[in-house]
Amino acid sequence: MTGMQQIRDLAEEWEVRSSATPFQGRVTGVRTDEVLMPDGGYARRDYQTHPGSVSVLALDERQRVLLVRQYRHPVRQRLWELPAGLLDVPGENPLHAAQRELYEEAHCKADQWRVLVDFYTSPGGTDEALRLFLATDLAEVEGERYEAHGEELQIQTARVPLEQLIAGILAGELHNPTLITGTLALHAALSGAGLAQLRPADSPWPARPFPAL
């Protein structure tokens, strides 16, 4: 449309006078940067460094979404979520990581994969980028289940109709941001041009570049 403003995020990097990592854990850390502000002064920005994540919205033939429920200690709640995991294997393709998580957490596989949405989980406090895939044509994996450990031992699974999830989100009963983002994005896609509008599973991801499959 003539005169319509193009709305898209823009890559930009402000000058950093100094940078330190006061804490580095096994996967994530904390970085402190002194950043040049528009008024000429410097401000300190503390944020979590993160390797990135993948998640899977697995949709079955009855328009039900595959969920897992896990205890999340920082918020002291057991949350319904989508299968998800860290990009903590060096060089691993995000699609392979997502397929692994779907198997490990739900003992499922899918024949069709698309990118549903890419987002930063909390850009004011962490550099974590997450790629959320839509997986369809689901089937249970043959053979033995993945041997769970630690908190994964208490994972529960369920298949919930999409409309029920939307109602739960709007009622304030579901709180996981990836579940909320994925559910509403899928609803928007189905209400619009359909799933054919979604990007291929190997689409570029500038936030976390990866080698081709």
Side-chain angles (χ1 to χ4, degrees), residues 56 58-60 65-68 83 98-111 113 135-146 157-159:
V56 185
L59 186 69
D60 70 13
V65 178
L66 175 61
L67 303 184
V68 297
Q99 291 169 333
R100 183 186 68 244
E101 294 299 332
L102 183 60
Y103 158 67
E104 291 182 358
E105 295 191 359
H107 199 64
C108 284
K109 61 181 180 179
D111 286 339
W113 291 80
T136 54
D137 293 344
L138 301 183
E140 186 167 321
V141 176
E142 298 179 0
E144 296 184 0
R145 290 184 172 270
Y146 171 75
T157 62
R159 296 194 182 197

Side-chain angles (χ1 to χ4, degrees), residues 5-21:
Q5 182 181 0
Q6 186 177 34
I7 302 298
R8 62 185 305 172
D9 294 333
L10 177 66
E12 185 173 337
E13 186 170 355
W14 291 4
E15 178 185 328
V16 176
R17 179 168 64 179
S18 66
S19 183
T21 305

